[in-house]
Amino acid sequence: MKRFSGQRPENPLGSADLFLAAPDPLAWAVCGVAIFANSYGYWLQIAPCSPSQAKRRESTTNKSALPKLKLPNHHRHPVWLRRYNSMTHSTIADATDQIRERSRATRSAYLQRLDGAAARAVSVERMGCGNVAHAFAGMPLDDRFKVVTQRAPNIGIVTAYNDMLSAHTPLQSYPDLIKQEARLWGATAQVAGGVPAMCDGVTQGTSGMELSLFSRDVIAMATAVALSHDMFDAALMLGVCDKIVPGLLIGALHFGHLPTVFVPAGPMPSGLPNKEKARVRELAAQGLVGREGLLDAELKSYHSPGTCTFYGTANSNQMLLEAMGLHVPGTAFVQPGGALRDELTREAARTVLGIVKAKRFAPIGKIVDERAIVNAMVALLATGGSTNHLIHWVAVARSAGILIDWNDFSKLSEVVPLLTHVYPNGSADVNEFQAAGGTGFVIRELLDGGFMHEDVLTVRAGGIREYTREPALVQGVLAWHEMGESKDEAIVRPVSQPFSASGGLKLLQGNLGRSVIKVSAVPDDRHVIEAPARVFDSQEGLHAAFNAGELDRVCLENAAGGVVCVVRWQGPQANGMPELHKLTPPLAVLQGKGFRVALVTDGRMSGASGKVPAAIHVSPEAAAGGPLAKVRDGDVILLDSITGVLQVNVPDDAWAARQPASMPEALCISNGLGMGRELFAGMRRHALTAEEGALSWM
């Protein structure tokens, strides 16, 4: 009899039907039968078989006779078992092993802190009487009796609700739903605190956008302030958008001993198609549509509560949380306002109560390990997700003691297939993506293809395989069903027929530094651009040159028939690394005229970088002495996303001798004044590079 803990045993007969991820699982291989169990009483009997037996069983199995998981009280929904290929792709396994080895010391130290915090007595027993009285003074008497006298679990709610983000307005009612559900299960819940939440759509192209990236770290700190009351047995994180989810996740991981579930709100209904919105913006950039016409298009695009419907950072967040097993399965893209959405929010409370220390203990710091981080990276690449996550997920991983960099993303991208075409990578929006198969289809395909780790812990008893199903209300009861085949292969495809054999993001490097590019939305004939540079110190400078016709003239006057626009002084230390999304329309107009254009910047371009090739996040940034500070107008720049090259074609000796430009004094002053930017001076001063996650707290 062979006992193992935490890892899949070697199976002498081939692949087992299922591996049940659980904390401290026990397993035995006896006569070709594997039995998994834990203290909650889960059981599963599996008969492994040879490949030929597996093929025969696939066509003859009576699914109604398959065993079911015995679920805890909070999870009475049956989960059917499904046979799958358990082999992990060698590149995925190698990348994970390299990350694990690199992170051995930091991860070990993190887990020691987590275990120490988890070993403490419950708060009402270890805190002073005055502390306890203050903590629960605002509670209804019944709730106070439960938590103080009966030692009932107490859920801490951290909410990013405000009325500025359409995606977050539905969160207003969530705490009441959660409290009601907690009471039904003999538990309590409190709003531990709120965190700020900036809408990048509101601040895009304004001074406020320079606070955006660092707002992630402010959110993480606000999450820590909320949870530092230290009166909670579990936590629910209410948030959706760009910096909010990474900030909440970073903050939650600093309280890694707490079981934690993330609770989204879903996308708004589809409005004006994203491609039509982009077309109107390009017309407006040329002066062919006035403010009234542009405003009408924007109001038809962003028109009701819910997330924006393009596949930018906010919706990429949701995909990654599903892939890490931190959501209620399939909850990412269910629209707000309906009975299903409300029931999923209630299920979040039931789920987190099912993983507290007295139950199937699954704290977030144990869930988010090297395999979970890799699963998120793979999901990002397979869906052509936001480039912002090449910054954010480095910071998230670091918060769990895990060290990743852009080389890891690049290695994974070489083998992870692109399975989706969702705007800006295609014409479909996230509602159409959900209807075609959504997150469940993508995760199933990645698992079955060996591109994701299945032997991971999640907030659900059935492990990551639960995230391959879609939720629905069946006679008022929440249930999940299998996804089946893609409903539209123009939007989402199986691993066997991907849109591309490699992922949607690429690493670029050369004498201009290291950079990333989102290639999934770029036309094939624009993957290599070589043209003279036009250097700008701000995005306003580029807009002025475009409006004056200067960029058209540059394109017409050189043999390459194009221009590489270099926009520098946009990194974390220079001005907080704003998104430069408003550069997309003028550059798209130039590209639409047949010119070969590209953008190179140490700033960000958001998850909606569009069809113009953009080498972004250039590190080291110009303000830190990076090579972009050396570039001059007329230097020929090569951006080759096929070979992964970003370089200026200047002889090595001349390039080495060239003195870098200094950031204009007026720009240094203006970047630090107004819109509260003075308060962020310390963050700008201490920020690490984009590849290091732009961390301001290390």
Side-chain angles (χ1 to χ4, degrees):
M1 182 176 291
K2 179 181 178 182
R3 174 177 171 169
F4 77 101
S5 177
Q7 300 292 329
R8 185 194 306 269
E10 182 179 355
N11 181 0
L13 298 179
S15 61
D17 288 319
L18 180 69
F19 176 78
L20 175 63
D24 299 320
L26 304 178
W28 297 268
V30 184
C31 301
V33 177
I35 302 173
F36 294 82
N38 72 3
S39 59
Y40 227 142
Y42 303 137
W43 58 269
L44 182 63
Q45 186 168 348
I46 305 172
C49 53
S50 67
S52 60
Q53 290 172 318
K55 186 174 181 180
R56 186 167 61 252
R57 288 177 56 198
E58 182 74 7
S59 61
T60 60
T61 298
N62 177 4
K63 292 188 177 181
S64 65
L66 286 173
K68 299 178 184 178
L69 293 176
K70 181 182 177 184
L71 300 172
N73 290 336
H74 296 303
H75 302 281
R76 288 288 184 192
H77 312 301
V79 181
W80 292 110
L81 309 183
R82 181 175 182 269
R83 193 187 65 78
Y84 65 94
N85 177 5
S86 62
M87 296 297 293
T88 302
H89 192 287
S90 60
T91 299
I92 307 299
D94 289 346
T96 307
D97 288 344
Q98 289 170 11
I99 293 169
R100 182 183 292 111
E101 184 60 32
R102 185 191 311 145
S103 309
R104 190 172 298 280
T106 50
R107 178 65 175 171
S108 176
Y110 174 82
L111 291 175
Q112 282 187 323
R113 294 192 299 272
L114 184 159
D115 290 339
R120 300 175 303 163
V122 295
S123 59
V124 295
E125 294 176 357
R126 61 182 160 76
M127 301 287 277
C129 295
N131 304 80
V132 173
H134 276 88
F136 305 123
M139 269 188 169
L141 283 174
D142 287 351
D143 286 353
R144 200 183 315 170
F145 177 79
K146 287 178 186 175
V147 71
V148 175
T149 305
Q150 298 180 338
R151 305 297 194 264
N154 187 36
I155 302 170
I157 302 169
V158 180
T159 178
Y161 161 73
N162 68 40
D163 289 330
M164 293 307 300
L165 282 84
S166 62
H168 285 208
T169 54
L171 301 178
Q172 182 178 21
S173 63
Y174 282 19
D176 287 341
L177 286 174
I178 291 164
K179 291 176 184 179
Q180 291 167 11
E181 193 63 30
R183 291 185 185 111
L184 292 176
W185 297 101
T188 60
Q190 293 176 290
V191 174
V195 302
M198 171 184 284
C199 180
D200 289 354
V202 174
T203 60
Q204 196 70 238
T206 73
S207 299
M209 173 52 69
E210 295 179 10
L211 308 185
S212 176
L213 177 61
F214 291 141
S215 76
R216 180 200 68 193
D217 293 0
V218 173
I219 291 162
M221 290 186 281
T223 302
V225 170
L227 296 179
S228 68
H229 292 104
D230 201 20
M231 303 298 295
F232 311 110
D233 302 285
L236 292 176
M237 300 286 142
L238 278 53
V240 179
C241 283
D242 299 27
K243 266 61 62 186
I244 294 88
V245 164
L248 289 169
L249 186 48
I250 290 167
L253 286 168
H254 282 81
F255 290 77
H257 63 286
L258 289 177
T260 303
V261 174
F262 279 71
V263 187
M268 67 177 65
S270 301
L272 186 72
N274 285 295
K275 281 198 170 182
E276 176 62 15
K277 174 191 67 181
R279 187 187 70 85
V280 174
R281 286 178 175 177
E282 291 177 23
L283 291 173
Q286 300 172 79
L288 301 177
V289 169
R291 180 177 176 82
E292 184 176 345
L294 179 59
L295 181 59
D296 180 66
E298 299 288 355
L299 289 172
K300 289 177 179 176
S301 298
Y302 309 110
H303 57 87
S304 66
T307 317
C308 306
T309 61
F310 61 88
Y311 193 55
T313 310
N315 288 318
S316 296
N317 283 337
Q318 307 314 307
M319 181 73 235
L320 271 58
L321 289 174
E322 295 269 340
M324 295 174 78
L326 293 174
H327 270 174
V328 171
T331 194
F333 299 130
V334 175
Q335 291 182 5
L340 177 57
R341 180 85 265 169
D342 287 350
E343 190 59 27
L344 287 168
T345 301
R346 292 179 180 276
E347 180 70 7
R350 296 191 288 265
T351 296
V352 84
L353 288 171
I355 56 175
V356 296
K357 192 158 61 171
K359 305 288 186 179
R360 183 184 69 89
F361 189 44
I364 189 170
K366 293 286 182 72
I367 290 176
V368 180
D369 65 4
E370 297 87 352
R371 294 164 299 176
I373 289 292
V374 168
N375 280 355
M377 296 163 73
V378 166
L380 179 74
L381 295 167
T383 56
S386 172
T387 52
N388 279 328
H389 287 99
L390 276 79
I391 299 174
H392 295 323
W393 243 247
V394 173
V396 166
R398 187 63 179 260
S399 300
I402 299 167
L403 307 178
I404 63 173
D405 57 32
W406 291 349
N407 289 329
D408 299 316
F409 282 97
S410 181
K411 182 173 184 176
L412 293 171
S413 187
E414 290 175 0
V415 299
V416 173
L418 181 65
L419 302 184
T420 71
H421 264 186
V422 186
Y423 189 85
N425 307 326
S427 59
D429 67 16
V430 293
N431 292 311
E432 293 169 303
F433 168 59
Q434 175 74 357
T439 59
F441 181 90
V442 171
I443 291 173
R444 187 193 72 194
E445 289 299 308
L446 292 172
L447 285 171
D448 289 355
F451 295 102
M452 284 177 64
H453 295 284
E454 184 140 9
D455 56 337
V456 292
L457 184 64
T458 75
V459 300
R460 302 289 286 194
I464 196 65
R465 185 60 63 168
E466 282 203 48
Y467 292 81
T468 66
R469 303 179 179 94
E470 184 178 25
L473 288 178
V474 180
Q475 296 181 341
V477 177
L478 188 59
W480 282 261
H481 60 266
E482 296 287 352
M483 294 305 308
E485 302 306 313
S486 171
K487 307 301 187 298
D488 188 341
E489 291 196 0
I491 300 173
V492 60
R493 291 183 182 176
V495 163
S496 59
Q497 296 176 292
F499 291 100
S500 170
S502 59
L505 301 171
K506 289 275 290 187
L507 172 66
L508 305 176
Q509 48 194 336
N511 60 7
L512 287 178
R514 286 162 64 87
S515 175
V516 295
I517 183 171
K518 182 175 181 176
V519 294
S520 53
V522 176
D524 291 343
D525 64 347
R526 292 294 190 273
H527 282 202
V528 179
I529 300 291
E530 188 170 19
R534 175 66 173 88
V535 182
F536 300 97
D537 291 335
S538 67
Q539 58 181 321
E540 292 80 10
L542 189 152
H543 275 282
F546 173 80
N547 291 333
E550 179 185 339
L551 296 181
D552 288 82
R553 288 194 295 274
V554 170
C555 292
L556 289 168
E557 290 171 358
N558 68 79
V563 63
V564 175
C565 293
V566 176
V567 183
R568 60 193 182 189
W569 320 121
Q570 305 298 312
Q573 293 184 18
N575 64 350
M577 203 177 187
E579 288 183 348
L580 307 175
H581 193 196
K582 286 205 169 182
L583 298 182
T584 300
L587 294 177
V589 168
L590 293 172
Q591 183 168 284
K593 293 179 178 180
F595 298 132
R596 301 187 64 78
V597 298
L599 173 69
V600 175
T601 181
D602 45 12
R604 296 182 294 128
M605 274 293 282
S606 90
S609 53
K611 58 191 177 184
V612 175
I616 57 178
H617 309 172
V618 174
S619 296
E621 64 176 289
L628 287 189
K630 290 185 175 185
V631 180
R632 298 173 183 171
D633 285 345
D635 287 342
V636 175
I637 291 178
L638 170 64
L639 187 165
D640 188 336
S641 61
I642 298 175
T643 61
V645 171
L646 178 66
Q647 68 180 30
V648 60
N649 295 338
V650 174
D652 291 345
D653 53 349
W655 183 247
R658 185 181 292 185
Q659 292 300 305
S662 298
M663 189 172 172
E665 183 65 23
L667 195 59
C668 291
I669 294 172
S670 64
N671 282 349
L673 297 175
M675 288 294 156
R677 287 177 289 179
E678 301 89 340
L679 300 172
F680 288 73
M683 288 185 162
R684 290 191 296 273
R685 187 162 49 249
H686 295 293
L688 301 182
T689 68
E691 186 167 6
E692 296 171 301
L695 299 175
S696 64
W697 40 268
M698 291 294 292

